[in-house]
Amino acid sequence: MVYDLPFLAESDRQNAGHPEMGGVCSILLPLICYCINTEIRIPFYVLNAFMAYSFFKFGFYMKGRLTSGAILSVYKRCAYMLLSFLLLVALVAYNTCGSLNAIEYGKNALVCYLQGCIGCLFVVSLCMSIFQLLGHKASFTLGNGTIVLLLLQPPFLLTLKLIYRALFHPAHSAPYFDIFSAMISAVVIITIMYPIILIINKKDPVLNGIK
């Protein structure tokens, strides 16, 4: 099982040395980012990193809790996934979407961080459900295909945006997405890309950094 791999256990031990420091940073760094005038652009995306730190820390925490729960059935994991998805949709409808790139929080910064935490729960639950349903081979194939996904997803994403806008939001002058279409497009793109990743892994694995 993926959560029993030695390197994951070692990573957990290395990051568990000073949990109180991580907790302090999870509050302090985003607070610094929120208080600083975001019109002042600090080099190397330092403020963006400060804003994102809490999401990273919570994601790591949830990974340790959810991936170690081997006794959870796939039905319970899917229930977690569905519940977190519905909560995320409701919060986005209220607060709109924040942006790490632009350092925007929507209507409320606290709700924005709640959205991020629930999003982490959704992603981890989704990945573990895929792992339990399809096995480690499919999970590792998608993991190894990250480079291909990053390279080829823009044209697929733009095409889906244009189709969605033409069908549902023709009044918008630019490609338009809402949270439903964004998540559906993610599933569609991954489904399309999976056989492409398999072919690349077989024919020229160096493109995925395997060899």
Side-chain angles (χ1 to χ4, degrees):
M1 305 294 279
V2 67
Y3 34 77
D4 292 329
L5 293 176
F7 70 86
L8 287 180
E10 180 63 25
S11 174
D12 288 343
R13 287 193 293 270
Q14 291 174 356
N15 286 278
H18 303 283
E20 67 283 353
M21 183 60 68
V24 171
C25 290
S26 297
I27 298 174
L28 184 61
L29 295 182
L31 185 60
I32 293 174
C33 176
Y34 183 76
C35 292
I36 292 178
N37 186 351
T38 55
E39 294 180 1
I40 303 174
R41 308 307 289 180
I42 298 177
F44 306 112
Y45 294 93
V46 172
L47 286 183
N48 304 73
F50 282 8
M51 179 183 178
Y53 185 82
S54 293
F55 301 131
F56 163 79
K57 191 65 178 177
F58 183 79
F60 181 83
Y61 174 84
M62 292 307 299
K63 185 270 298 184
R65 297 303 181 274
L66 292 182
T67 58
S68 62
I71 59 173
L72 286 179
S73 68
V74 68
Y75 301 106
K76 288 184 178 180
R77 291 195 186 278
C78 288
Y80 282 132
M81 181 180 66
L82 178 61
L83 177 61
S84 58
F85 172 76
L86 294 176
L87 287 174
L88 185 60
V89 170
L91 289 174
V92 169
Y94 164 74
N95 194 52
T96 72
C97 291
S99 171
L100 283 174
N101 185 52
I103 312 182
E104 296 176 350
Y105 301 91
K107 297 178 182 178
N108 186 290
L110 291 178
V111 176
C112 176
Y113 278 96
L114 181 59
Q115 288 173 245
C117 292
I118 293 176
C120 290
L121 176 61
F122 170 74
V123 170
V124 173
S125 299
L126 173 62
C127 292
M128 290 306 301
S129 297
I130 293 174
F131 176 82
Q132 286 187 263
L133 287 170
L134 303 181
H136 72 278
K137 184 176 180 180
S139 303
F140 287 146
T141 297
L142 291 174
N144 290 332
T146 302
I147 297 176
V148 177
L149 284 170
L150 290 174
L151 178 65
L152 297 182
Q153 73 171 351
F156 286 108
L157 187 59
L158 178 60
T159 301
L160 290 173
K161 282 186 175 183
L162 291 173
I163 294 173
Y164 182 78
R165 187 197 68 176
L167 292 175
F168 302 105
H169 296 278
H172 286 266
S173 59
Y176 174 83
F177 255 11
D178 56 31
I179 187 168
F180 290 105
S181 54
M183 291 190 172
I184 291 172
S185 69
V187 174
V188 171
I189 290 174
I190 290 175
T191 302
I192 294 174
M193 295 297 298
Y194 186 77
I196 298 176
I197 294 172
L198 286 175
I199 293 172
I200 292 177
N201 286 349
K202 182 177 181 180
K203 301 293 185 181
D204 201 355
V206 69
L207 294 178
N208 275 332
I210 297 178
K211 292 183 180 180

